[in-house]
Every structure is written in C-alpha cells, then in structure tokens.
Amino acid sequence: MTEARPVSTSPLTSLPFRVHLAGQAVSRLGDGVVAVTFAFAALAVAPDGRGIPMVLLALWVSRFVFVAYGGALPDRIGRLPVMFGADLVRLGAQLFPALTFAFGQPQLWHLVASAAVYGAATAFFMPGAVGLLPELVRPTQLQKANSWLGVAGDTGRLAGPSLAALLVAFGGVPLALFFDAATFVFSLLSLAWLWRLVPRRQEPEAAEGEAHGPRERVRFLDAMRIMPRVPYVLGAILIWVPAQIGLASVSVLGPIAVRDTLGSIEEWGVLVTFLAAGGLLGALVSGMVRVAWRGVLVVVLLAVSMPVQLIALAYGQDLVVIAAALFLTSLTAGVAGIVFDTLVQLSVPASMLSRVGSFETTMTTAMVPLGFAIALPLANLVGRTAYLAGLAAVIVVTSGAVLLWAVARSGVRDRFVEESAGDLAGRDA
C-alpha cells in the first residue's frame, strides 16, 4: 500500500492559480490607477466638480442593477467565459474615454457612460471570480489563495494612486487611461490561458437537491435557499450591511472630523495611508490564520473593526492614537474579509457560489451610496460624534445578535465547513 504524499498548503504550487494571481495583480493595479485618473478626467471636463459624483453614481448604480444577472450567469454557463467577456467589455469601456481624450473632444457624458458600462461588467466579473478559485486550488490552499489575491488587491489600491499621478504628470489623462486598458489586456491573456488549463471545470455541477439541466433557468434568488444552511455566512452579510454604511460615513465625515479635531485636512491623507497599510498587512496575516471556527472569528472581527474605527474618529484627539486605531481596525477587517471568502467557498455548494457571492454584493453594495447620502445630513441633525458612536453601537448590537443566533443554529465549529473540507480533502488524497 502506497502512502499518500503530503499535500502542500501553498496555492503557488498550482499553475492555474499562479496564472490567475498574475493577471489579477496587474488588473488590480490598473483599478488603483483608474480610480484617481477618473477624478482628474472629470475635473478636466467639468472644473466645477459636478462630474465626480456623476461618474461615481453611474459606476455604483449600474453595478447594483446588474449584480443579480451577474451572479446567475457564471453558475449557468461557467465562470471563465463570463469573466473573459466582462473584462473584454471593461477594456472597451476604458478605451472609449482614452481615445476621446487623446484624439477628440472629451465630454462629461463620455466618462459617465464609460463608468456605467464598467460597473455593469464588474457585476458579472466579481461573482465569477468568487466561484472560480475553488477550481484552481485544493481546499487546504483556499485561505492562502484568498490571502494572495487580497495582497494583490491592497497593493494595487496602495500603489495605484501614486502611479496615476505620475502617469497624468508625464502623459496626461490619456496615458493613465491607456495604462489601465493595457492591464485588462494582460488580464484577458491570463484568463485565456486559464481557459486552456481548466477546460473541463467550467460547467458547474448541480448541488445536491438542486436539479437543473442545461436548459433550465439558474435564478439569482436560488441563493436565498442556501442561506439558512450557512448561518455564519448570512450573519456576516447582515453585519456588513451597517458596516458598509459606516465605511461610507468614514469617507464623508472622516476628513471633516480630522480638520475640526486636528486643525488641518492634510492629516487625513496620513490616516488613509495607515488604513491602506493595515488592509495590506491584514491580507498577508490572514493566510496564516488556522482555526476550526472561521464563522465565529469573522463575526467577532467585524464586531470590533468598524466600531473602533468610528469611535476613534468620533472621540480621538491625537493623530498617533487615531492612526493606530485605524491601522489595527483595517488589519482586522482585512483578515475578516479573507476568512469570510474562504468560509463561503468551503461551505456553499460549488454550483451556487457565484449567486451567493452576488447576493452578498447586492446586500452590501447598496449600502455604500446610502451611507454617502445619509452621513452628512444625519451628522448635522444629531451631531457628528453622536452619529458615529450610534452607528458603532448598531454594528456591535447586530454582531451580538448574529453570534447568538449562529451559535445556536450551527455551533462554534461550523459543521458545513468541516464536511466540505473533509470531503474535498479525501478526494485530493
């Protein structure tokens, strides 16, 4: 009898994952560049600043409108075909304003239309990416794989704005937009390579109890059926609803609070850097987290991260104290996000992964524009400190209720994670 060789826990031993990571690392750098570049572009065509909220609204609304379709399509026809098509559309969306800035007469509607198309395509790409990862690595490698992707994303968000400023300084807005378009070409090449590496895994199998043939409709609302079976996944999503409002509120009220407390708006830039650095370190650390109670860990980290951040901005009087609080809370939020992604991928049937990921996006995406809209009016109505502290209390109470309910339903050790990991690990041996 031959002994089974030990399986490496590093996802970098998987060629498909290395290809996927390379493509996403370059693409995420482009995302970091375009976020700043579009602000420069909007100000160039509309110096009064009205273009920035219009572009942001087009991006978020289109993503929200199409997110249900984006969750169902990858589960029906396969993740890679949908991701490839979405990146092809996003490439075109970036080339359109780049060409108008380089050779034509750029107008605000060019940017708004580009953002709307980009957001709609992203609504299809992201759910597909959620479901793709378990096809590229072994179950024991999932958390480290999510960690590597998180590092790539946070590095892009950290380095992208500085790179955008350099590109705009040397070649103007067109150079920065063409750079982002080039990152999509690289991503498309990596996806095409993946398509050749994993050709037989692109038609997801039906989950037990889910009988749908190729002609039957795969519905977004099917994701609701699985939610009672994964209480920690549903609970974390419910906590993220007020937490996303908190995130948007920090974006709106954070600069104002720093200016009023510390006397200068420049310190906000320092704090944003600490937030980004904390998220990057959190993504790195999360790959080393090994616990048998991922669901409890996610709920506890979410109960701490955003409330502490809100309290620090509400009551903090010292830059060092606020920066340390924001760094630590961003770190814990980064760990929570990676562990949550792994929890979903291990506990949700493969045939429904994209729809569940899309459901989570639907629930949380809508909260960001809502937070943008209500933060300043409510802060003016009840006071900024009371608003931030009250929102922190809502998140803590929600987390406590979720933890009690999830433990009663599923216990401390989530049995679905154990069953999925055990089945798949046995299949790997």
Side-chain angles (χ1 to χ4, degrees):
M1 181 176 178
T2 304
E3 291 186 4
R5 289 179 297 176
V7 177
S8 172
T9 59
S10 173
L12 297 179
T13 59
S14 165
L15 175 59
F17 176 73
R18 294 199 302 271
V19 173
H20 181 54
L21 177 63
Q24 289 308 293
V26 174
S27 182
R28 300 290 176 84
L29 179 61
D31 292 344
V33 168
V34 78
V36 175
T37 303
F38 258 57
F40 290 148
L43 288 173
V45 297
D48 59 0
R50 74 182 187 278
I52 294 178
M54 292 175 65
V55 168
L56 288 174
L57 188 63
L59 178 71
W60 282 98
V61 169
S62 64
R63 184 172 177 180
F64 180 74
V65 167
F66 285 96
V67 73
Y69 302 99
L73 192 61
D75 282 341
R76 186 168 74 244
I77 70 172
R79 280 77 191 237
L80 281 174
V82 173
M83 293 169 67
F84 189 90
D87 260 1
L88 200 60
V89 172
R90 293 197 293 184
L91 170 62
Q94 294 304 89
L95 284 175
F96 174 56
L99 291 172
T100 60
F101 268 88
F103 304 111
Q105 296 294 326
Q107 298 180 33
L108 180 57
W109 75 265
H110 296 158
L111 296 175
V112 173
S114 172
V117 173
Y118 187 99
T122 301
F124 288 85
F125 184 91
M126 296 308 296
V130 170
L132 175 67
L133 193 57
E135 300 178 14
L136 307 181
V137 299
R138 299 175 184 273
T140 53
Q141 299 170 335
L142 266 174
Q143 191 155 308
K144 286 188 177 180
N146 282 311
S147 174
W148 277 109
L149 290 172
V151 170
D154 288 324
T155 301
R157 281 188 289 271
L158 195 59
S162 298
L163 179 57
L166 287 174
L167 290 170
V168 171
F170 281 101
V173 169
L175 179 61
L177 291 175
F178 279 124
F179 175 86
D180 184 52
T183 66
F184 279 117
V185 172
F186 190 91
S187 178
L188 284 166
L189 292 173
S190 72
L191 290 172
W193 191 359
L194 274 180
W195 212 335
R196 292 178 60 87
L197 291 174
V198 285
R200 289 177 295 180
R201 295 189 178 186
Q202 300 314 303
E203 184 65 35
E205 297 178 0
E208 184 178 352
E210 181 191 11
H212 62 73
R215 293 185 179 181
E216 291 190 45
R217 186 179 180 186
V218 176
R219 299 170 300 176
F220 169 70
L221 291 179
D222 289 341
M224 295 294 294
R225 293 192 298 107
I226 198 68
M227 284 300 156
R229 294 173 51 194
V230 282
Y232 283 110
V233 173
L234 177 58
I237 292 172
L238 294 177
I239 299 170
W240 252 307
V241 168
Q244 289 293 89
I245 295 177
L247 180 66
S249 299
V250 167
S251 300
V252 174
L253 300 176
I256 301 172
V258 168
R259 181 199 63 193
D260 295 346
T261 302
L262 303 178
S264 173
I265 194 65
E266 283 75 16
E267 277 78 1
W268 178 245
V270 175
L271 296 177
V272 170
T273 302
F274 272 87
L275 278 170
L280 177 58
L281 183 59
L284 284 168
V285 170
S286 63
M288 297 180 285
V289 174
R290 285 291 179 268
V291 295
W293 27 274
R294 287 185 178 93
V296 173
L297 179 62
V298 169
V299 171
V300 170
L301 291 178
L302 290 177
V304 171
S305 56
M306 183 52 66
V308 171
Q309 191 174 140
L310 294 168
I311 294 298
L313 288 173
Y315 296 103
Q317 299 292 323
D318 182 80
L319 177 63
V320 174
V321 174
I322 300 174
L326 266 57
F327 175 83
L328 292 174
T329 57
S330 182
L331 188 155
T332 57
V335 173
I338 298 299
V339 175
F340 173 77
D341 288 343
T342 307
L343 178 72
V344 171
Q345 291 158 346
L346 285 174
S347 56
V348 174
S351 63
M352 301 189 72
L353 267 176
S354 294
R355 277 169 286 174
V356 170
S358 187
F359 172 78
E360 181 256 332
T361 303
T362 301
M363 294 289 290
T364 57
T365 297
M367 298 302 110
V368 176
L370 177 62
F372 286 149
I374 69 173
L376 193 56
L378 287 181
N380 290 334
L381 179 65
V382 303
R384 186 175 65 242
T385 299
Y387 171 74
L388 293 173
L391 189 53
V394 169
I395 296 171
V396 170
V397 170
T398 303
S399 301
V402 162
L403 186 61
L404 291 174
W405 171 74
V407 168
R409 291 267 308 185
S410 187
V412 174
R413 294 169 62 94
D414 196 283
R415 63 182 183 275
F416 298 108
V417 172
E418 292 170 355
E419 290 169 3
S420 299
D423 292 345
L424 291 170
R427 191 169 61 197
D428 287 336

